[in-house]
Amino acid sequence: MKKEDLRIVFMGTPEFAVETLQALVENGYNVVAIVTQPDKPVGRHGSVLQPSAVKQYALEKGLPVLQPEKMKDPVFVEQLRSYEANLQVVVAFRMLPEVVWAMPQYGTFNVHAALLPQYRGAAPINWAVINGETETGVTTFFLDHDIDTGRIILQKHFPIPDDADVEYVYDGLMHLGATICLETLEKIVEANGYPESIPQEEFRENSNLVPPSPHTTVLPILKPAPKIFKETCEVNWQQTAKHVYDFVRGLSPYPGAWTTLVGPDGKETVLKLYKTTKTTQTASEPGRITADKHHLYISCENSLLQIDELQLAGKKRMNATSFINGMKDIEKYFVR
């Protein structure tokens, strides 16, 4: 088989997916159509429709774009079938029904921003950083009935530095995702459409986790990556500074970890946190604020956490010095 024999439908929505789509186009793959989310209402009254990043790129390249409201819509399914694709590639898109993922001759593979079977779900990059992982990666796998459970084709690893936030990891995996997609397509071409793939259970069984005895089999606990909502992002100060540190960078810069700042008069304000530094300084009651001229600290369970960049509701993002200079009696405040 030659790569020109592949007729590919690409499915994706955000900027993360554009990098991979661009790699396909620039490397001469025959992308016959694009499937992306419907345009999103934006603006004060929602009167302006904003196309997805994938749609914007597709239109620039003159690629046909499909934007179904429902993936099972018979009209959409027939439109999709009319492109006679023999392979579908999915990056950062929604869950597909079987009538869609099973349509092409060579199946549908997904580029997932994690080392499956770990971090199945909608927000794998955030949760890997929140959980303090030192490594993550990207996986290509064939779609099947359950979300993120299909047979693995390839994996690539990506280190997470201790000071990295989600933006850093996102950018790294976005580029790595394009690379692994191209390598996966090469394997598909070499295998005449049917590359070797491995059940995810084998990845768990062959992990580096050592059983405590020859008579006991222990598989690594699977960590999920569910969708993140506003309430997910609230800081819990009743835990170690390390946990809060990872939580903040795992949500920075978007959607942003937040806490409630309570003033001496009892007035409450939402405070977003974007950058912190771990310390070994002894903590007081969790949530208590201390400060000097240039440094702001909040007590966690075991030590103080230095707050470096933050944002009050209705204000711009600022450093700790600017925040301290704009607040009177800062140590009379606390967070909860």
Side-chain angles (χ1 to χ4, degrees):
M1 175 189 289
K2 299 178 181 180
K3 69 179 183 180
E4 292 80 11
D5 295 329
L6 291 177
R7 291 179 57 82
I8 299 171
V9 165
F10 183 89
M11 302 184 181
T13 295
E15 177 194 18
F16 189 91
V18 174
E19 185 89 4
T20 301
L21 174 57
Q22 182 177 346
L24 299 187
V25 172
E26 293 182 353
N27 281 273
Y29 282 96
N30 183 20
V31 180
V32 297
I34 303 297
V35 181
T36 190
Q37 295 277 40
D39 294 357
K40 185 178 180 180
V42 295
R44 191 169 184 178
H45 303 291
S47 56
V48 178
L49 293 178
Q50 176 69 39
S52 72
V54 163
K55 179 180 178 179
Q56 292 178 56
Y57 178 83
L59 293 179
E60 289 174 8
K61 298 300 178 181
L63 299 172
V65 176
L66 303 178
Q67 296 178 274
E69 291 283 350
K70 296 180 180 179
M71 299 300 291
K72 291 184 179 180
D73 181 352
V75 175
F76 162 69
V77 171
E78 286 309 307
Q79 282 182 315
L80 185 62
R81 200 184 306 278
S82 71
Y83 286 99
E84 299 180 342
N86 51 20
L87 180 69
Q88 291 175 158
V89 177
V90 180
V91 184
F93 197 54
R94 64 174 96 170
M95 189 172 180
L96 303 181
E98 183 174 2
V99 67
V100 172
W101 59 256
M103 187 182 296
Q105 176 185 359
Y106 304 132
T108 300
F109 77 81
N110 184 44
V111 178
H112 187 74
L115 297 174
L116 292 173
Q118 296 293 2
Y119 296 107
R120 295 168 175 161
I125 304 176
N126 297 93
W127 286 108
V129 181
I130 288 171
N131 289 336
E133 302 288 0
T134 58
E135 183 181 61
T136 184
V138 287
T139 303
T140 52
F141 69 98
F142 285 114
L143 296 192
D144 63 13
H145 293 89
D146 298 314
I147 188 166
D148 298 338
T149 59
R151 296 174 65 91
I152 290 174
I153 309 166
L154 283 176
Q155 283 192 335
K156 283 187 174 293
H157 293 244
F158 182 83
I160 305 177
D162 184 62
D163 61 349
D165 61 14
V166 159
E167 186 172 42
Y168 172 89
V169 182
Y170 180 99
D171 289 345
L173 295 185
M174 181 170 65
H175 300 311
L176 196 59
T179 299
I180 198 173
C181 183
L182 291 177
E183 292 185 11
T184 300
L185 289 171
E186 289 171 6
K187 286 177 66 73
I188 290 172
V189 169
E190 290 170 1
N192 292 316
Y194 302 99
E196 180 183 359
S197 57
I198 302 173
Q200 291 191 26
E201 292 74 15
E202 291 188 19
F203 273 71
R204 292 189 72 196
E205 293 167 1
N206 296 329
S207 73
N208 294 323
L209 185 64
V210 179
S213 78
H215 307 292
T216 305
T217 300
V218 178
L219 294 179
I221 296 172
L222 294 183
K223 301 173 185 178
K227 186 175 180 179
I228 289 175
F229 299 94
K230 180 181 178 181
E231 55 269 25
T232 313
C233 303
E234 183 176 10
V235 178
N236 173 17
W237 298 101
Q238 304 285 337
Q239 55 184 343
T240 67
K242 164 66 173 168
H243 279 98
V244 179
Y245 170 80
D246 289 335
F247 187 78
V248 170
R249 67 192 183 99
L251 295 167
S252 179
Y254 182 83
W258 64 273
T259 189
T260 302
L261 180 68
V262 183
D265 57 358
K267 184 178 179 181
E268 298 183 353
T269 309
V270 172
L271 182 67
K272 281 195 171 185
L273 306 177
Y274 293 101
K275 188 176 181 181
T276 66
T277 301
K278 292 172 290 183
T279 80
T280 57
Q281 299 180 53
T282 304
S284 58
E285 180 184 353
R288 283 293 166 187
I289 295 175
T290 56
D292 56 32
K293 190 174 181 180
H294 297 292
H295 299 95
L296 179 69
Y297 304 96
I298 299 178
S299 286
C300 300
E301 187 180 74
N302 63 328
S303 61
L304 296 181
L305 185 68
Q306 180 177 304
I307 311 301
D308 301 318
E309 294 183 19
L310 65 169
Q311 182 180 20
L312 277 168
K315 304 291 184 180
K316 293 182 178 180
R317 181 171 169 174
M318 67 186 80
N319 59 32
T321 302
S322 299
F323 177 79
I324 293 166
N325 291 339
M327 301 288 288
K328 292 182 179 180
D329 301 321
I330 184 61
E331 294 195 3
K332 292 183 180 180
Y333 287 74
F334 67 92
V335 295
R336 63 166 179 78

